[in-house]
Amino acid sequence: MAFNNVLQWCDGRGWLVFSGAVGGDAIRAAALGRASADGGLALVCMGSPDRCEQALDDLEDLGAPSGYLVDVLSEADDTIREKLSEAGIIVVIGADDALAVRSALMGAASEGIMAAFANGALILLEGWASAAAGAWLVTGEGEPLGGLSWLQAAMIIPGAASVSDFPPARSALISHPESIVVSIGGGSALVLGPDGEVEIWGQRQVSIVLGSDYHR
């Protein structure tokens, strides 16, 4: 487990980049510049085929290595694991439905991504894909749901410069006082490295609010 103060994340030799929005050349270019592992670019895209192909073209225009799409909704589990585990860069573009993102990434996709991360791959999570990587997923309706826990004890709110921009996060923090809320504005990214590095990219609109257990 890697950690820095209150942030704790899964072990691996790669980098985790949580971007507050889908797209954004500045964040994508910085991520591509940081990537160091061998292997191509794997794109997990939850959207229309045209949107996914355009995203792949945009990444290659920014200097990404040769890339390929991974369809985590229809391809066989073994194929998904193999395609993702061999990548040097993985970009995950979330859909507008947070629950759909979480469901799509659970199982074979998560296993393949974490295998690549353990080997040094950079993982760029955009929009609601960032939210799915937390310990809990705050949807705004009912209790938070379990996430992938790549960033442990955390609820990640993409597209919000502060917790006040997403009121359900406050209620979730009360029901889970042992957790933290990480809000990441559009055009900003929280970046975590293999040796405990913590960086803020882009517009630097990232805030962390601690649950009450941290103040005892």
Side-chain angles (χ1 to χ4, degrees):
M1 178 191 303
F3 66 93
N4 186 302
N5 296 323
V6 299
L7 298 175
Q8 300 181 14
W9 58 98
C10 48
D11 284 325
R13 295 191 291 110
W15 290 79
L16 290 172
V17 181
F18 302 94
S19 180
V22 172
D25 286 353
I27 301 298
R28 286 178 172 178
L32 295 173
R34 180 60 56 87
S36 59
D38 294 332
L41 164 73
L43 175 63
V44 178
C45 176
M46 286 153 247
S48 68
D50 288 346
R51 179 195 189 202
C52 297
E53 289 289 351
Q54 184 61 58
L56 192 58
D57 289 343
D58 291 345
L59 287 160
E60 292 180 348
D61 287 344
L62 290 171
S66 179
Y68 51 89
L69 294 169
V70 182
D71 188 342
V72 298
L73 298 177
S74 64
E75 294 188 81
D77 285 353
D78 288 346
T79 300
I80 292 170
R81 290 189 193 94
E82 181 179 0
K83 283 185 173 182
L84 291 172
S85 64
E86 294 177 349
I89 306 169
I90 298 175
V91 178
V92 185
I93 297 177
D96 294 333
D97 184 339
L99 296 180
V101 177
R102 185 195 68 154
S103 297
L105 292 180
M106 293 180 73
S110 177
E111 292 164 11
I113 290 171
M114 285 294 97
F117 176 70
N119 291 327
L122 180 140
I123 314 300
L124 170 58
L125 304 163
E126 297 188 344
W128 283 109
S130 293
W136 294 278
L137 180 61
V138 182
T139 64
E141 299 180 1
E143 281 292 304
L145 301 173
L148 300 171
S149 287
W150 297 346
L151 182 57
Q152 297 165 11
M155 307 177 201
I156 304 172
I157 311 300
S162 69
V163 174
S164 61
D165 293 337
F166 192 73
R170 286 287 185 186
S171 299
L173 204 58
I174 293 172
S175 63
H176 290 277
E178 76 282 12
S179 68
I180 63 175
V181 172
V182 180
S183 56
I184 307 172
S188 302
L190 171 66
V191 184
L192 307 175
D195 297 314
E197 300 95 336
V198 176
E199 300 177 9
I200 307 297
W201 291 355
Q203 298 177 12
R204 305 183 63 82
Q205 292 180 331
V206 175
S207 66
I208 298 174
V209 177
L210 308 181
S212 59
D213 283 0
Y214 286 86
H215 301 290
R216 294 176 182 175

